[in-house]
Amino acid sequence: MTCSDFLKELTDYLDESMDAQTRAELEDHLQWCHNCYVVCNTTKMTIEIYRDSHLYELPDELRGRLRSAIMSKCKGHEGPCT
Ligand SMILES: [Zn+2]
């Protein structure tokens, strides 16, 4: 799994709406990729804050915004994401 694969699946991973196989692959990626680990934690916190103060379902609009924020963050650092 590459970093862009990881980022594509990240919101589903955090939403817990993914199958065990893909989840295991993502967790494996997190073991060795510090960049994605940081992005994952940051995104998870954002979602938790959102859930605490609003609804339990992430609207598509927020998912889209999160995803593009993640993607631009990924492009901003030097690493395997390019
Ligand atoms: Zn990665």
Side-chain angles (χ1 to χ4, degrees):
M1 171 168 295
T2 66
C3 290
S4 29
D5 292 335
F6 180 89
L7 294 170
K8 252 185 280 171
E9 306 289 350
L10 180 59
T11 50
D12 286 339
Y13 173 64
L14 295 173
D15 221 16
E16 295 175 3
S17 63
M18 92 183 344
D19 61 276
Q21 167 74 31
T22 315
R23 175 174 292 273
E25 285 174 25
L26 292 176
E27 280 166 0
D28 182 62
H29 186 89
L30 284 177
Q31 298 295 309
W32 58 267
C33 185
H34 183 69
N35 288 332
C36 289
Y37 181 79
V38 171
V39 170
C40 180
N41 273 348
T42 309
T43 308
K44 197 193 290 180
M45 274 189 284
T46 308
I47 290 173
E48 276 166 10
I49 290 164
Y50 181 84
R51 282 183 173 163
D52 281 349
S53 53
H54 296 280
L55 307 160
Y56 288 93
E57 290 282 311
L58 280 183
D60 287 345
E61 189 257 337
L62 180 67
R63 291 168 74 106
R65 269 197 290 148
L66 269 176
R67 187 162 300 190
S68 52
I70 292 163
M71 288 303 184
S72 63
K73 186 170 182 153
C74 188
K75 284 189 196 113
H77 69 69
E78 295 185 20
C81 286
T82 55

